[in-house]
Amino acid sequence: MDAPVSPMRADIARQPAVLAAFADRADGFAALGRSALAPGAGGRLWVTGCGDGLFAAEAAGRFAADLGLDWRPIGAMDMVLAAGRLRAEDRAIAISMSGNVDRTVEAARAIARAGVPMLALVNGNGGRLGEIAGSKISLDLPDVAPFLCGTASYTLTLAALTALAAGAAGATPPDFAAIAAAVRSAVATAEASVGAVPLPGGVRLLSAGNDCGTVRYGAAKFVELTRIPAWSAELEEFAHSQYWAMPTGDLVVVVAGDPALAAYADESCAALAELGVSTFAVDTPASPVPRARWRATLPDQPPALFALSAAVPLQVLAATLARASGLDPDTRAHLKSDATRFKVSRMLTRRSLIGTGA
């Protein structure tokens, strides 16, 4: 009898199909972007949330900027503090899958008080966030299993943001059928490339520009799935900060979807090899990092859309190293087993969920 498929692996593997299905909905998201999110003259498009929502907003930044949008990813706490500087010409997207993350709800209330039109991007009925926003749209993505680490939901959030941005700019959404093919290749490449990576003492995920959102997302997945200390940083700033305290047994992961960035990343990998530090690159044939110790080389694609497939090797690597360290990425039981720490996490972010087990 075949062994049951890991829910985490199933969630990773379904991402190409999720994106292919989204191709049929992208025009609807773009239409809502045109009607609800096109800024007034000189206006900005603020995109706020926490965790994966914020990382997706950052990862969509280059695509939106290339369309001429003044795209402003901002953490929910920062949005609460910045709401007094919002202008009538601005528009906003607030992101939360549950709609019940406390700080995102507070940010939405601050945006509403400022009188700025706002769209809630959610998954389901939208919770408290959906009640506050002037309009909302749901990903309508069913969960593979309870309490899984965000994988397909992150990728679909990023896809939705690109479609909304296209609409807000009066442009056509990307070709999600082609993107789905690139992600399908990314899944296969990632599964084939991470198996040789030994369990490290820590993980440092580095990039620059548009890909910083991807490495911030990747570091969050390591935090959620493993007990391996993980940090993200901008490639250059790492050399002036984290590098000096980094044990040589750590793994450095570089993500480079832009040829200019890849050249710097390759130089960094060669330099780190002098110290005996292992490196893993997520790159493409057009943006190669050949001196990385291990590579997940993904299909060529526009740098502005690279984030839609670049997260996949980070997902697979985190899930693989979680199992190698004796943890179960399907249940993340190590998070809930420390009842006090889990409760305090809810006190920090989602007080409304305390006592629900969610």
Side-chain angles (χ1 to χ4, degrees), residues 114-273:
V116 169
M118 173 176 43
L119 169 71
L121 178 58
V122 298
N123 192 29
N125 65 19
R128 293 179 290 158
L129 180 61
E131 295 171 359
I132 297 166
S135 55
K136 69 178 179 180
I137 192 164
S138 171
L139 299 181
D140 291 339
L141 181 69
D143 291 333
V144 169
F147 204 56
L148 274 185
C149 177
T151 52
S153 60
Y154 170 80
T155 300
L156 187 54
T157 298
L158 179 52
L161 288 174
T162 62
L164 290 168
T172 302
D175 182 351
F176 286 105
I179 292 170
V183 172
R184 185 173 297 107
S185 177
V187 172
T189 297
E191 294 286 3
S193 62
V194 305
V197 179
L199 193 65
V203 181
R204 317 278 172 156
L205 298 103
L206 311 178
S207 194
N210 190 63
D211 294 329
C212 277
T214 300
V215 295
R216 277 161 54 80
Y217 165 80
K221 298 311 103 177
F222 275 93
V223 169
E224 291 179 84
L225 293 178
T226 79
R227 292 290 194 198
I228 304 169
W231 301 263
S232 63
E234 195 264 358
L235 183 67
E236 175 66 23
E237 289 308 311
F238 161 78
H240 301 284
S241 55
Q242 291 185 21
Y243 163 78
W244 293 100
M246 179 188 67
T248 57
D250 282 5
L251 173 70
V252 172
V253 178
V254 295
V255 175
D258 181 279
L261 171 58
Y264 289 113
D266 189 53
E267 291 177 358
S268 294
C269 289
L272 288 166

Side-chain angles (χ1 to χ4, degrees), residues 249-333:
D250 282 5
L251 173 70
V252 172
V253 178
V254 295
V255 175
D258 181 279
L261 171 58
Y264 289 113
D266 189 53
E267 291 177 358
S268 294
C269 289
L272 288 166
E274 294 284 327
L275 194 65
V277 173
S278 295
T279 52
F280 182 96
V282 181
D283 62 2
T284 75
S287 57
V289 186
R291 288 182 284 184
R293 174 66 179 81
W294 299 284
R295 298 167 65 191
T297 300
L298 310 185
D300 281 327
Q301 53 214 283
L305 296 173
F306 179 63
L308 281 158
S309 57
V312 172
L314 307 184
Q315 296 165 354
V316 175
L317 183 61
T320 300
L321 293 181
R323 289 224 181 264
S325 65
L327 299 178
D328 182 0
D330 294 328
T331 64
R332 296 191 287 164

